[in-house]
Every structure is written in structure tokens, then in C-alpha cells.
Amino acid sequence: MEPAVDVRQLTKVYEGTVRALDGIDLKVETGKVFALLGPNGSGKTTLMRILTTQIDPTSGEAYVLGVNVVSQGAEARKLLGYVPQEMSVWTDISGYENLLIYAKIYGIPPQEREKTIWDALEKMGLKEVANNLVRTYSGGMMRRLEAACAMLIRPKILFLDEPSIGLDPSARRVVWEELTTFKREHGVTIFFNTHYMDEADFYADEIAIIDRGKIVKSGTPEELKRSVGGEVVQFSVKGKSIGEELIDKIRRLSQVKDVIARDSELTVVVQDSETTSPNVIRALEAEGVSIQKISITKPTLDDVFLKYAGTRLETGGGVSEIRQVRRMIRRG
Amino acid sequence: MIMSDSLRSVFAMIELELRRLRHDRTEFYTRAIQPILWLVIYGPVMSAVKAIPTGGVPYTDYITPGLLIQSTTFVAIFYGLTLVFERESGILKKLLVSPPPRYAIVVGKSMSAGVRAIFQALILVPVALLIGVTFVPNVGYFVLALVLISLSAAGFAAFSIIVASLMKTRERMMGIGQAITMPLFFASNALYPVTMMPTVLQWLSIVNPLSHVVGAVRALMITGDLTGLPLDLAAILLFDVIMFAAASVSFRRIIE
């Protein structure tokens, strides 16, 4: 099947000096939820703006569902929905009117228009406020209206730039629940940018980590976390002390990377705790060791980011985010 | 297909503007204050002085078309401010990612300024009638005059889109807007005949689109003498075509 997004050796240089994208290669499968995870200024937005035909790359090629976004921009625009990072609704007309204007721009046939608009409003929980001016909406309601706007046009692929910036956790959940349903019902591919690890972790099937204009690592959230070097499982045991022989036996179990025993603590480093722990438990119990407590420490995407990009994701960029949120509040 | 796509989005833009106007008319009314003052105070005062040769037309009548157009042109020239706002928010980005060709967005935005201009002009007509301005009693002429006012406002709005795509901030946009509108107005036949101006300004007046609109609207609304109309009409259309084309080209820059 045609990949939803296919990017080859893409670069973008601003004003001859700033390398926003530095040779990106990326493939996103159709029907997946894909997250591009990276700190502010890593090139996420630039890539999305190229994919949505707003700006041209300096070099390289980019395809959306097989359509070249540079040479066939008009074709590509028919396939995609887009929610920019900034507030993107008209605040001086009502929510309903916002959708009506977009329905007309996108040429939704008049006989289907009303139904489609009200469906979208209802799904996003905006039916009651549909005829109020958007100016009176909260930040979360505006974001929901933007999502409704993007769904209204039934795109084949949906691009979301930092969809939950400035949203409280419950508003974020509402937006994502609807996006997930929409994706399931219509088989849409969702491509989103985020600098929140948990958002990528919860909602994405695939993640690519971008840093300073380069994709440093990609895979499913589990693969990424596993690639950090395994998980740590700690057993507190009682009774018989753990002998060298038992330790060797555990060490020989498949997927076990390291075993350290100290007093009544047994620390096992494994590739994947979910599949390996039962084997360790069985081995211990076979020798009559009783387990009191098990704790598993899994690597987070932050560890992943640290490993591949050399920095922590959650640091830096705070000021620009605050400004962003403020801007939305001021507009609201 | 592409043509109907474009037309559809032009109409959607116009509808957006009308809906905005319906929700909030404050700006619409406040924008009318200044031209009303010109009409009610400046007109009668200068009329009494009788210093300006108007070819037998009462002075207030003579300047009425100019004031209608001044009002609509100012609105159009500051229309780019809306775009600067939409640029700062994500609205323009979203519009640019919609299927209609970009020129359709530019023409749509410009035409919606043109439609707004019709209302901005109409609000002054009762005031003019009240102070005794006599219009040519011909509905066809009047409607054509409104169409021309609308078309020229659309042209100036497109011009304003060009300025907005170069300036990109509100403050600069305000400054440039102010710097352009008054000279345009004074270097036109809005308040006095071109023949009264210094030669250089007379030349400027020929290429000043405002002069042609004022000429055409004055002929249709006040004097009924249509001899200069074809030339003025051609000038307005040419102005629109050039502005629409240039704005479509420069529009891309606005989001970069």
C-alpha cells in the first residue's frame, strides 16, 4: 500500500543559513497515528508546513499518499486536513458559521452540508454553543472547533501541529477521543507534531524523534523504549538465600541481560519485562524462593530522547510555549 | 471544475465578510463618522466660499462622490490589517491548505472588501440627501456607480494585501496605510478639479485610480455626463486586474 507520507532527503534552509531540516527520511504507513516528537525549534513545524504545501523545501522530495506536495500541491490539498498550532478560527462569527464557510470552501454539496456540520459540532460537544460567537469560547472549545473543522472535510490524512498546546488534560482527552474515533471510522491517517512525550506515548502507533532537523530514531513507543537498553525488574525475596547456581540459571534465560543479587534483593535487567518476568518467577519458585514484591522500572520516552538526542525533551522552549498559550488566551 | 472551485471560495469569502458585518457593526458606523463630517461641515463651508470651479454643480454635490470613495478606499486600504491578523493566527495557513487556488483566496478577500464598501458608501447616501445633494434620478446609473465603487475598493484591498505581504506587522501596516491614503486622496479630483492642481499632480492624477473612480461615480451620480465614463471604466478594470495579479503573486510571501 502507498505510504501516507513519504519523505526523502528533505532539507529546508531559511535565509541561506538556518538549516531547519537537514536531510529527513521518513515513511508513515496509511491508517496509522504518527507522532513527530521533538523540542521546539527542532524542525517539526517546518516539515509539516512542507507536507501541507505551505512552503517549498530547499531540496529533497515529499509525497502525501503518493502525491508530490511540491509539483502537485493542488492535488495534495484535496487529500489533507490541517490544524495549525496557532488559533485558526474566525472569532467574530459563530462556531456554526466557521464550519459553514469551510464547508463552502471545500465544496461540500449543499444537501449534505447541514447534516455534516451538525454532526461535527455534536461530536465535538459544541452543539449548545454553535450559534455563539467564537470569541466567547474557551481555549479548549476553540481547539475542538478546529478539530471539527478538520473532520468536516473528511480528509484522507490529518495533520495536527501541537494539537494539545494550551489545553487542560480533560480537554485534551476529549479532542483525542474524537480524533481516535474519527480515525477508526474513516480510516484516516493522523500525523501530529508534539513536544509532549506522554501525548506521543498514549496516542501514537509510531513515533519519530526529531532533533535539530534530523530524525534521530523511529519506531513504535514500545520499540523505542526497549531500545534504550531494557527494563529493570526488582524482586524482593524471602527465605532461602539465592545461590550462585540459581543466578546462573536466571542469567541463561532468554532475553535476560544481567542479574545482580544482593541480600534479599534480586535485580534482573531484561529486554522486555512483560514476557521475561514470568520465566524468572518460575525459575525462582522452582528453587523454593518466595517472592514478596516485584517492581518494574520501564524506560520512558524521555530516556529514549536522552539517549538519541543527548538532551532531555522537557527542558528548554518553555518561554515560547508560554507565549503561545498567552497568545491564544489574548485572542480568546 | 477549477473555475467553479475558485468562484465558490470567492463567494464563501464574501459571505464570511457579510456575516462578520452582521455580528458587529461598530466599525462600520465609526468609519462613517469622518466622511459624514466632511460632507456636513467641510462641504457647506467650502460651498459658501465659492472658491472652486465645479462646472455649475453645487460644491457639496461635487464632492459627495469623492467622499463616498474616500470612505470606501480607506476601509479597503486597511483591509490588509485583517490579513495581518489572520497571518499571526493560523487562519491564513489553514486557508492556504484548502484546495482552491491561491488567487481565488486573494480575489475572494478583495471582493469581500468590495462588498463591504457598498454598505460603507450606502450609509452616506441618506446623509447626503438630507443636506440637499441632488443625485441623478436614474437607478441604473446609481447601481453602476455602486458596482464601480465596489470594484475599486476590491482593487485597493488587493493593493493592501500586497502591502501586508511585504510589511507583515500591524504597526508597519498602519503607518504605510496612513502614508498612502491621504496623498492618494489629495492627488485626485475628489475635492477639486484636476485643472486646479500643479502640473506634476495633474500627471499623477491620471495614473491615480482614485481619480478615475471619482470621475465615473461623479458622472453617474451627480452630473449625468457620461463622456469620460468608458475611459474611467477601463482604468478601474485595468487597475483591478493588475492588483489582483500582483496580490496573488505576493500572497505566498505573507506566510513565510
Side-chain angles (χ1 to χ4, degrees):
Chain A
M1 193 157 40
E2 199 117 57
V5 172
D6 189 357
V7 169
R8 296 171 204 162
Q9 276 304 305
L10 203 68
T11 65
K12 176 71 185 178
V13 182
Y14 287 115
E15 281 151 19
T17 50
V18 187
R19 281 187 98 77
L21 297 179
D22 194 4
I24 298 267
D25 283 297
L26 188 67
K27 262 197 179 70
V28 176
E29 268 178 65
T30 307
K32 289 274 161 81
V33 178
F34 173 85
L36 189 60
L37 177 68
N40 292 318
S42 56
K44 302 188 298 280
T45 297
T46 300
L47 178 58
M48 188 170 282
R49 293 183 74 188
I50 291 171
L51 290 174
T52 54
T53 78
Q54 296 174 58
I55 52 176
D56 288 338
T58 308
S59 68
E61 286 171 57
Y63 299 86
V64 168
L65 295 158
V67 177
N68 187 316
V69 296
V70 179
S71 61
Q72 301 164 276
E75 281 306 305
R77 284 196 290 275
K78 285 183 186 149
L79 305 170
L80 59 93
Y82 167 59
V83 180
Q85 189 173 340
E86 307 90 345
M87 194 243 356
S88 64
V89 283
W90 290 289
T91 53
D92 46 4
I93 55 175
S94 74
Y96 168 81
E97 287 172 315
N98 264 280
L99 296 189
L100 183 67
I101 299 294
Y102 270 102
K104 289 186 175 178
I105 291 174
Y106 276 84
I108 296 176
Q111 60 273 20
E112 292 169 28
R113 215 180 274 149
E114 285 295 306
K115 193 186 171 303
T116 321
I117 293 172
W118 285 107
D119 273 0
L121 285 167
E122 177 153 29
K123 275 190 181 150
M124 279 297 155
L126 294 169
K127 215 173 166 184
E128 279 70 39
V129 292
N131 289 317
N132 297 0
L133 290 185
V134 175
R135 199 185 295 143
T136 64
Y137 286 19
S138 68
M141 285 155 85
M142 284 191 197
R143 219 42 172 162
R144 264 141 63 198
L145 182 61
E146 286 163 355
C149 223
M151 290 176 188
L152 182 78
I153 57 169
R154 301 276 155 81
K156 298 265 182 293
I157 178 167
L158 193 51
F159 287 94
L160 310 166
D161 198 353
E162 296 278 6
S164 61
I165 207 159
L167 288 190
D168 59 58
S170 72
R172 184 208 273 200
R173 202 167 50 240
V174 172
V175 171
W176 270 110
E177 269 167 19
E178 281 313 323
L179 286 172
T180 315
T181 314
F182 179 68
K183 183 215 142 196
R184 204 173 45 237
E185 284 173 2
H186 301 278
V188 181
T189 307
I190 296 180
F191 183 120
F192 75 101
N193 284 350
T194 187
H195 69 281
Y196 296 118
M197 291 175 304
D198 55 340
E199 185 171 42
D201 202 357
F202 287 158
Y203 301 112
D205 303 318
E206 298 265 346
I207 298 174
I209 292 176
I210 185 169
D211 186 51
R212 276 169 259 162
K214 284 189 166 127
I215 302 283
V216 290
K217 185 78 185 169
S218 59
T220 67
E222 280 64 40
E223 282 167 3
L224 289 179
K225 283 183 274 187
R226 236 175 271 145
S227 74
V228 172
E231 301 170 6
V232 177
V233 189
Q234 277 197 315
F235 299 88
S236 301
V237 297
K238 205 172 109 182
K240 253 174 89 174
S241 66
I242 303 161
E244 279 300 317
E245 204 175 306
L246 180 54
I247 291 173
D248 271 347
K249 194 176 164 193
I250 294 171
R251 197 169 271 143
R252 281 196 302 274
L253 290 172
S254 73
Q255 290 205 334
V256 169
K257 290 184 163 177
D258 201 4
V259 183
I260 305 146
R262 188 180 297 146
D263 303 330
S264 60
E265 292 285 328
L266 180 74
T267 305
V268 185
V269 180
V270 298
Q271 186 64 41
D272 176 6
S273 65
E274 282 162 29
T275 56
T276 317
S277 299
N279 298 336
V280 179
I281 293 168
R282 268 195 294 277
L284 287 170
E285 280 174 347
E287 297 292 326
V289 177
S290 82
I291 302 163
Q292 275 195 315
K293 202 177 104 190
I294 303 174
S295 67
I296 299 171
T297 319
K298 291 192 172 209
T300 63
L301 280 178
D302 201 24
D303 299 320
V304 179
F305 199 81
L306 181 64
K307 176 167 176 180
Y308 295 105
T311 52
R312 291 249 167 222
L313 187 56
E314 300 280 291
T315 55
V319 177
S320 99
E321 183 181 340
I322 290 163
R323 200 168 52 219
Q324 189 70 42
V325 173
R326 270 212 205 119
R327 192 184 288 162
M328 288 188 72
I329 291 166
R330 201 181 62 218
R331 295 264 157 69
Chain B
M1 188 59 206
I2 286 180
M3 197 58 209
S4 72
D5 262 11
S6 308
L7 266 183
R8 210 175 46 222
S9 55
V10 169
F11 283 120
M13 293 287 154
I14 292 173
E15 183 179 342
L16 169 67
E17 195 60 29
L18 291 175
R19 285 179 182 275
R20 278 177 161 162
L21 196 60
R22 205 183 65 192
H23 284 298
D24 187 3
R25 278 178 284 244
T26 325
E27 193 194 337
F28 173 64
Y29 292 128
T30 52
R31 291 246 192 220
I33 293 172
Q34 204 181 335
I36 288 175
L37 290 178
W38 279 89
L39 198 59
V40 175
I41 298 169
Y42 177 81
V45 168
M46 288 305 282
S47 227
V49 179
K50 290 192 173 52
I52 296 167
T54 57
V57 181
Y59 185 68
T60 312
D61 295 28
Y62 181 83
I63 62 165
T64 297
L67 295 177
L68 293 183
I69 290 154
Q70 178 214 34
S71 159
T72 57
T73 305
F74 280 23
V75 172
I77 279 189
F78 286 104
Y79 195 75
L81 276 176
T82 325
L83 276 164
V84 171
F85 169 78
E86 291 189 347
R87 175 188 172 270
E88 286 173 4
S89 69
I91 294 172
L92 264 194
K93 290 180 189 162
K94 208 157 82 177
L95 277 179
L96 284 173
V97 170
S98 71
R102 278 157 197 183
Y103 71 81
I105 297 170
V106 170
V107 175
K109 289 267 171 204
S110 306
M111 292 304 284
S112 50
V115 171
R116 190 181 258 267
I118 295 179
F119 291 95
Q120 206 75 54
L122 278 177
I123 194 176
L124 295 178
V125 171
V127 181
L129 285 172
L130 216 62
I131 60 165
V133 172
T134 355
F135 290 94
V136 175
N138 183 322
V139 179
Y141 282 14
F142 191 80
V143 170
L144 182 57
L146 286 180
V147 169
L148 292 181
I149 288 176
S150 173
L151 282 177
S152 78
F156 279 110
F159 172 72
S160 145
I161 291 175
I162 302 171
V163 177
S165 57
L166 298 174
M167 294 298 132
K168 297 186 181 180
T169 71
R170 273 169 235 228
E171 292 74 14
R172 282 147 109 193
M173 188 69 204
M174 285 296 280
I176 296 279
Q178 303 279 15
I180 289 170
T181 43
M182 287 318 273
L184 260 182
F185 185 52
F186 286 126
S188 80
N189 55 359
L191 298 178
Y192 29 73
V194 178
T195 47
M196 282 185 76
M197 294 190 236
T199 326
V200 184
L201 278 186
Q202 289 195 22
W203 282 103
L204 274 179
S205 166
I206 294 172
V207 292
N208 183 353
L210 214 56
S211 279
H212 293 285
V213 197
V214 173
V217 174
R218 185 175 285 145
L220 289 163
M221 280 187 170
I222 307 293
T223 65
D225 170 15
L226 306 189
T227 43
L229 190 64
L231 175 68
D232 290 336
L233 201 68
I236 295 167
L237 291 177
L238 181 68
F239 171 63
D240 273 11
V241 169
I242 293 172
M243 285 303 141
F244 286 175
S248 301
V249 172
S250 75
F251 190 50
R252 244 188 108 86
R253 298 179 55 168
I254 198 168
I255 53 146
E256 279 178 4

